[in-house]
Amino acid sequence: MTILIASDHAGFELKGILRTYLEGEGHEVRDLGVDSETSVDYPDFAHRLAAGIGSGEGGLGILICGTGIGMSMTANRHPGVRAALCHDAYTAEMARRHNDANVLCMGGRVLGAGVAEQVADVFLGTAFEGGRHQRRVCKIEIEAKGDGR
Ligand code: RB5
């Protein structure tokens, strides 16, 4: 499974650290930018990655901006994308087990490298539980089903 990764300027440094770390762990990582710390607009990179997830180019994605908030807001506009802003191993685990999140968002100005690596490890290594959570996840997609009920 290919992991897509992207950031804005505020997440550039952490993106590089995570890409190196994940490749060292044996993951195939496709970096969708940004390529420097020159200021950019985070939605451009969130849309690029979310479109790749939506089209099946990658199975899971990682988005990093200063807080992770703007990236998650933007990615969640894409049907089929469930982006979760995670700050620790617990939120990363639950985002996969209960929410079937397919995009992990993190704050490059919030998390240190060690915690970010742990969060990514847990997110990538945890499976969706299904069962009652599948019904709830299906209700997220209001665009496909009107009001979601
Ligand atoms: C950039 O300064 C910052 O606003 C951005 O990286 C992100 O935190 C937005 O949510």
Side-chain angles (χ1 to χ4, degrees), residues 17-114:
I17 291 169
L18 278 176
R19 192 185 64 212
T20 302
Y21 173 72
L22 293 172
E23 287 172 345
E25 294 291 300
H27 294 286
E28 184 184 333
V29 182
R30 184 176 307 174
D31 190 337
L32 302 180
V34 67
D35 299 324
S36 78
E37 289 188 320
T38 302
S39 183
V40 293
D41 298 333
Y42 61 82
D44 295 338
F45 294 88
H47 284 310
R48 185 183 293 178
L49 184 139
I53 296 292
S55 68
E57 186 188 334
L60 293 174
I62 298 175
L63 283 169
I64 309 160
C65 60
T67 59
I69 295 170
M71 288 296 201
S72 59
M73 286 179 164
T74 308
N76 277 319
R77 295 297 181 102
H78 289 246
V81 170
R82 291 175 299 280
L85 175 56
C86 298
H87 295 308
D88 50 39
Y90 181 74
T91 47
E93 180 183 341
M94 299 312 285
R96 290 288 305 129
R97 282 178 55 188
H98 285 194
N99 308 114
D100 198 17
N102 50 15
V103 176
L104 167 63
C105 300
M106 289 186 282
R109 294 172 177 162
V110 180
L111 300 182

